[in-house]
Amino acid sequence: MTTGVLALQGAFALHQSRLESLGERVVQVRIPADLEGLDRLVVPGGESTTVSMLAERFELIEPLTEFAQSGKAVLGTCAGAILLSAEIQDGRADQRCLGAIDISTRRNGFGRQVDSFEQEVQIPILGELPFHAVCIRAPVIERVGESVTVLATIDSRPALVRSGAIMVSIFHPELVDDLRIHQLFLAM
Amino acid sequence: MSSTSSEPTVHSTGSQLVKRGLAEMFCGGVIMDVVNPEQARIAEDAGACAVMALERVPADIRVDGGVARMSDPEMIQGIQAAVTIPVMAKARIGHFVEAQILEALGVDYIDESEVLTPADEAHHIDKWKFTVPFVCGATNLGEALRRISEGACLIRSKGEAGTGNIVEAVRHLRSINGDIRALTLADSAELFDWAKQLRAPLGLVQEIAETGKLPVPLFCAGGIATPADAALAMQLGAQAVFVGSGIFKSDDPAPRAKAIVEATTNYMDAHILAKVSRGLGAPMTGIGMDDLDIKLADRGW
């Protein structure tokens, strides 16, 4: 199995090294041809407006949308959650989202960097041991559609959600040594 | 640091993980110097992953001379209001009160920068005391490790700001990454002498010998003027680039800014680099190192 990591901008190298440590073959995705033959895709965190613009300029919006609709597993973290969502609040007027999962995300919903935080979070699907969630200028998931399952919350708001083969988090599992989110993704 | 009650759920801000985490999010991106809201919007439209708010770009600081200080808070707030991407700002080396003010303004990263006139000739800011993260410049591995030991969460090459000349940044990146490679080959007894030679904490030296990389991201700054310069820095091991005077001192900033963003993403693909480098107009003129009156990279200790 081969996993692609969208490598337009952001924390793609960390996701890659986490997945490789689990024995996964990983390919960096920067142009449409890089998506060929992939079984799964990670859309990492970074600056969501930058990633949206680069996805347009390198003609990735349609291929990424098709990939997400194909039923193959996709993991989006932070800015990746924003890109995969159905609606963006407080984004740029020209900011694109792929509509891959029926959620509405609000950019920087927790505030600026001085408000960024880390926190232990209970994620029942991962067992009793809490997960150390790191939120960096994180988005808030303001709305989830009926098809979406909330797997964890922070401050009573969705923090890890899943719909079919698409899973997104507002936090950064690639920043911690705990590999359970990546393992869950690889098992999807 | 804020924490709550007796619940197992501890909410904490300003930790090293949270501060270094934002640096990781800038990877593969371009951080652009801007001096007003209009430039900030051009930078955001071009795909910058952050902007650096400052009163004058380094090329102008060079020409004007005098003491260069933290920017007017009003100007920084104007830029914060104009864009949605992270906003960084510069404090003078050792000027911890400028840093306190920048933190109060809610800037997302502070650059303790040699581009401004140093306020302390012996000490850098104790960056551990702050919730806001800091980036610092370095010309070699020892300097990088001293800054990290003071709490810096991101290291950039100093290069030679305001020159449009990449030669110094290349020297600094090669020096830092070359010494890291050499450290991984040293035996444990040699690391004590390495720490002495580098004037750096032994613990950090041992950590790098083991991991083969800095504990924080390494970016390139100082002298980037073209898409090819940005790609060169990336291929030499920088994880992102700062562009100072190179954009807004060129003939046509908007397309150049966009091209540098695209080149930083596809830094390994010469066909894309050729495509984005076409028809950008004249880059900033640039200065040779022999013609410099002041070398900014010498500032910092």
Side-chain angles (χ1 to χ4, degrees):
Chain A
M1 299 284 267
T2 305
T3 299
V5 177
L6 189 66
L8 294 172
Q9 192 273 322
F12 53 87
L14 284 177
H15 274 291
Q16 180 170 5
S17 68
R18 298 295 178 199
L19 290 164
E20 283 173 348
S21 74
L22 289 167
E24 188 66 7
R25 199 174 101 82
V26 180
V27 171
Q28 296 188 353
V29 175
R30 292 187 172 86
I31 53 174
D34 295 334
L35 284 166
E36 279 166 29
L38 296 183
D39 301 295
R40 288 183 275 261
L41 182 70
V42 175
V43 185
E47 174 44 48
S48 66
T49 56
T50 302
V51 173
S52 159
M53 281 180 220
L54 287 166
E56 274 202 285
R57 288 187 214 160
F58 292 114
E59 297 173 342
L60 275 160
I61 296 284
E62 253 179 64
L64 286 172
T65 308
E66 279 167 22
F67 191 97
Q69 286 168 351
S70 70
K72 292 175 179 172
V74 180
L75 172 66
T77 57
C78 195
I82 297 172
L83 186 65
L84 291 167
S85 61
E87 188 194 357
I88 303 172
Q89 299 171 38
D90 294 345
R92 283 171 55 92
D94 61 355
Q95 190 167 351
R96 301 288 298 266
C97 55
L98 305 181
I101 181 165
D102 187 17
I103 59 172
S104 172
T105 46
R106 186 153 56 86
R107 283 180 68 218
N108 307 333
F110 290 90
R112 293 180 180 279
Q113 172 61 14
V114 289
D115 306 306
S116 292
F117 61 95
E118 52 183 305
Q119 180 169 329
E120 303 281 300
V121 176
Q122 289 297 335
I123 306 178
I125 198 172
L126 298 180
E128 277 189 20
L129 187 68
F131 194 90
H132 200 81
V134 185
C135 293
I136 309 287
R137 286 174 51 102
V140 166
I141 297 177
E142 294 281 7
R143 181 191 64 78
V144 297
E146 278 177 14
S147 64
V148 178
T149 309
V150 177
L151 300 173
T153 58
I154 292 176
D155 296 348
S156 321
R157 289 184 282 203
L160 177 69
V161 304
R162 181 177 169 176
S163 174
I166 316 280
M167 181 163 70
V168 306
S169 70
I170 64 161
F171 56 88
H172 290 280
E174 78 283 7
L175 288 176
V176 296
D177 292 329
D178 189 338
L179 295 171
R180 287 179 294 163
I181 299 271
H182 287 96
Q183 283 166 329
L184 180 65
F185 166 61
L186 291 180
M188 274 164 60
Chain B
M1 204 80 167
S2 67
S3 60
T4 49
S5 66
S6 55
E7 287 178 5
T9 313
V10 179
H11 177 105
S12 70
T13 57
S15 63
Q16 280 296 294
L17 191 55
V18 165
K19 288 153 81 170
R20 291 178 183 183
L22 181 58
E24 298 287 351
M25 299 312 135
F26 297 136
C27 285
V30 182
I31 300 140
M32 300 182 191
D33 278 7
V34 297
V35 301
N36 56 46
E38 188 200 345
Q39 289 187 354
R41 277 189 285 266
I42 291 171
E44 188 181 53
D45 288 347
C49 67
V51 291
M52 175 79 70
L54 74 174
E55 218 139 52
R56 292 171 289 171
V57 293
D60 288 332
I61 291 174
R62 247 176 219 295
V63 173
D64 297 351
V67 174
R69 309 177 179 89
M70 176 190 81
S71 298
D72 184 333
E74 193 178 348
M75 170 265 181
I76 294 169
Q77 286 171 315
I79 287 171
Q80 286 174 319
V83 294
T84 63
I85 58 178
V87 176
M88 302 187 178
K90 289 182 194 288
R92 282 179 266 179
I93 289 173
H95 205 316
F96 51 85
V97 174
E98 284 187 348
Q100 290 164 4
I101 292 168
L102 293 175
E103 181 172 71
L105 291 173
V107 304
D108 295 294
Y109 241 91
I110 295 177
D111 185 4
E112 187 183 17
S113 177
E114 71 283 359
V115 167
L116 306 184
T117 310
D120 190 321
E121 292 187 330
H123 310 96
H124 283 250
I125 296 169
D126 176 359
K127 295 166 272 289
W128 296 101
K129 286 186 172 171
F130 289 79
T131 300
V132 62
F134 282 73
V135 50
C136 287
T139 59
N140 56 50
L141 183 59
E143 209 176 351
L145 297 186
R146 289 195 292 282
R147 299 295 84 80
I148 292 167
S149 72
E150 295 155 3
C153 295
L154 170 59
I155 296 295
R156 56 171 174 78
S157 64
K158 285 182 176 171
E160 193 51 37
T163 62
N165 188 337
I166 194 72
V167 66
E168 293 299 304
V170 167
R171 185 200 315 282
H172 302 159
L173 288 174
R174 282 203 182 276
S175 173
I176 292 167
N177 283 327
D179 277 352
I180 289 173
R181 281 191 291 272
L183 264 183
T184 61
L185 300 173
D187 78 19
S188 58
E190 290 166 347
L191 295 180
F192 298 96
D193 191 51
W194 265 102
K196 214 160 44 180
Q197 301 295 334
L198 291 172
R199 293 193 292 129
L202 177 64
L204 276 174
V205 171
Q206 289 169 325
E207 183 186 333
I208 288 167
E210 176 117 7
T211 62
K213 59 186 179 67
L214 290 180
V216 304
L218 173 65
F219 291 2
C220 179
I224 291 175
T226 68
D229 288 346
L232 174 67
M234 295 294 285
Q235 288 197 28
L236 284 170
Q239 292 164 279
V241 299
F242 287 86
V243 185
S245 319
I247 289 170
F248 290 101
K249 283 289 164 190
S250 72
D251 272 7
D252 197 357
R256 179 166 298 269
K258 202 168 147 239
I260 291 176
V261 169
E262 291 168 7
T264 303
T265 291
N266 275 297
Y267 66 95
M268 296 290 279
D269 188 327
H271 294 286
I272 290 179
L273 295 176
K275 195 174 153 198
V276 306
S277 298
R278 283 190 307 211
L280 296 178
M284 70 180 285
T285 309
I287 316 172
M289 290 306 125
D290 297 338
D291 302 326
L292 286 182
D293 297 329
I294 299 172
K295 226 170 156 193
L296 300 175
D298 293 340
R299 295 168 169 179
W301 358 100

